[in-house]
């Protein structure tokens, strides 16, 4: 087992707590809303979805609950085991398949799968050659299929450091670096911007790109306890959904999401 896999496996408990927190719930709710608005009609037609680096099924379970068939690819066994357990508990086992593999070395049955939808969420900040990873991610997508990429937004980091940590010197320093670190998984990150990823996707044959922001305001509200109040959370979610595709808020949101189609 690699060091990276051991780190991810050891962080499972903290990861599940994060997912269930208001900021984690917003991440999945908004990403799903942005994605499904681009699904082909009829809306009730089952799609074949590939969830790359899909972890414990946070995105996959939501799409399977809509009746779509989802294949989760991840290289961390503990994540896939949890994904299978969650699918079983939700009665979605028949709609979710788990494949242990690296995104840059997909097995033939996945690489040649001609999927209708491919997700590449929360992966790009962990790779060095982002263009290579994007090309590998697009390969299993059929012509005209839908692609969704999501990553930490580099533009958000100086603001997050200034507002949440009140460390203005560190915020200034963050303006001129694309390097960071995640405490939860104890891993180095390379921060990207939506503009950078959009250029790569356009070059690789992805068209009609739509730029969304995820957690446009949540991470700049320092009272985390207030976000756990159901009424406040309901208002926060409504605001986030209203802002996700609205200029200029997507440019400073904590995460960016790009949704487009592979050239036919």
């Amino acid at each position: 087992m690699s060091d990276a896999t051991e780190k991810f496996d050891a962080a499972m408990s903290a990861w599940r707590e994060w997912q269930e927190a208001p900021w984690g719930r917003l991440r999945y709710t908004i990403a799903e809303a942005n994605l499904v608005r681009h699904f082909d009609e009829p809306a009730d037609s089952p799609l074949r979805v590939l969830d790359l680096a899909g972890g414990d099924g946070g995105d996959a379970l939501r799409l399977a609950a809509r009746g779509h068939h989802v294949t989760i690819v991840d290289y961390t066994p503990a994540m896939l085991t949890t994904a299978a357990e969650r699918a079983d508990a939700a009665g979605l086992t028949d709609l979710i398949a788990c494949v242990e593999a690296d995104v840059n070395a997909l097995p033939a049955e996945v690489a040649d799968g001609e999927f209708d939808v491919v997700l590449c969420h929360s992966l790009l900040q962990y790779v060095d050659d982002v263009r290579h990873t994007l090309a590998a991610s697009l390969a299993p997508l059929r012509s005209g299929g839908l692609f969704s990429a999501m990553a930490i937004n580099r533009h958000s980091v100086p603001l997050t450091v200034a507002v949440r940590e009140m460390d203005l010197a560190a915020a200034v320093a963050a303006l001129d670096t694309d390097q960071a670190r995640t405490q939860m998984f104890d891993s180095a990150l390379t921060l990207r911007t939506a503009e950078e990823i959009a250029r790569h996707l356009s070059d690789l044959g992805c068209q009609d790109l739509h730029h969304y922001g995820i957690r446009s305001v949540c991470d700049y509200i320092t009272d985390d306890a207030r976000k756990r109040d159901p009424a406040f959370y309901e208002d926060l979610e409504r605001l986030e959904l209203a802002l996700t595709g609205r200029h200029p808020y997507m440019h400073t949101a904590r995460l960016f999401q790009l949704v487009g189609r592979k050239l036919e």
Side-chain angles (χ1 to χ4, degrees):
M1 183 181 293
S2 69
D3 289 344
T5 300
E6 289 181 354
K7 290 176 182 177
F8 276 85
D9 287 355
M12 279 298 299
S13 178
W15 173 238
R16 289 304 302 275
E17 289 180 8
W18 183 93
Q19 287 179 306
E20 294 167 4
W23 35 93
R25 291 159 57 196
L26 285 172
R27 172 259 185 259
Y28 288 100
T29 296
I30 299 167
E32 179 187 14
N34 291 338
L35 183 66
V36 300
R37 75 179 68 185
H38 295 281
F39 281 179
D40 291 327
E41 297 294 341
D44 58 354
S45 178
L47 299 171
R48 295 180 64 247
V49 181
L50 177 61
D51 187 4
L52 297 173
D56 61 350
D59 287 306
L61 287 165
R62 288 170 173 261
L63 296 177
R66 291 175 174 268
H68 304 298
H69 298 269
V70 187
T71 298
I72 303 172
V73 171
D74 205 282
Y75 65 38
T76 53
M79 287 283 190
L80 292 175
T81 297
T82 302
E85 292 171 349
R86 294 176 73 186
D88 182 60
L92 298 171
T93 301
D94 292 343
L95 292 173
I96 290 183
C98 296
V99 177
E100 185 178 338
D102 188 285
V103 171
N104 292 307
L106 294 171
E109 64 270 20
V110 175
D112 302 331
E114 290 285 297
F115 290 88
D116 300 303
V117 182
V118 171
L119 310 183
C120 183
H121 291 176
S122 303
L123 169 64
L124 300 180
Q125 57 259 32
Y126 293 103
V127 304
D128 294 324
D129 191 340
V130 70
R131 189 182 185 91
H132 178 77
T133 298
L134 287 170
S137 300
L138 284 165
L141 184 63
R142 67 168 174 81
S143 295
L146 197 65
F147 185 76
S148 176
M150 180 195 303
I152 295 172
N153 175 20
R154 179 180 172 182
H155 294 319
S156 74
V157 176
L159 292 173
T160 303
V161 172
V163 172
R164 297 197 66 85
E165 300 177 20
M166 297 292 288
D167 189 339
L168 303 187
V172 170
L175 292 169
D176 296 315
T177 181
D178 63 358
Q179 297 300 297
R181 194 162 193 87
T182 170
Q183 294 181 349
M184 182 178 299
F185 297 118
D186 189 24
S187 300
L189 303 175
T190 299
L191 304 171
R192 322 278 183 187
T193 67
E195 294 82 0
E196 173 191 358
I197 300 305
R199 286 194 296 271
H200 287 305
L201 288 174
S202 295
D203 291 345
L204 292 167
C206 202
Q207 62 181 354
D208 192 26
L209 287 168
H210 296 261
H211 178 189
Y212 300 103
I214 294 179
R215 302 208 313 262
S216 299
V217 296
C218 175
D219 289 44
Y220 305 119
I221 299 173
T222 58
D223 188 348
D224 287 341
R226 183 78 183 279
K227 299 169 195 175
R228 297 180 186 275
D229 174 76
F232 186 85
Y233 178 83
E234 183 179 352
D235 288 340
L236 178 60
E237 182 182 285
R238 185 181 302 110
L239 176 60
E240 292 282 1
L241 287 167
L243 294 176
T244 182
R246 187 172 297 192
H247 180 83
Y249 306 102
M250 73 278 279
H251 296 290
T252 53
R254 182 58 175 160
L255 308 170
F256 67 80
Q257 183 179 8
L258 293 169
V259 181
R261 292 196 177 275
K262 188 175 182 179
L263 281 170
E264 305 229 17

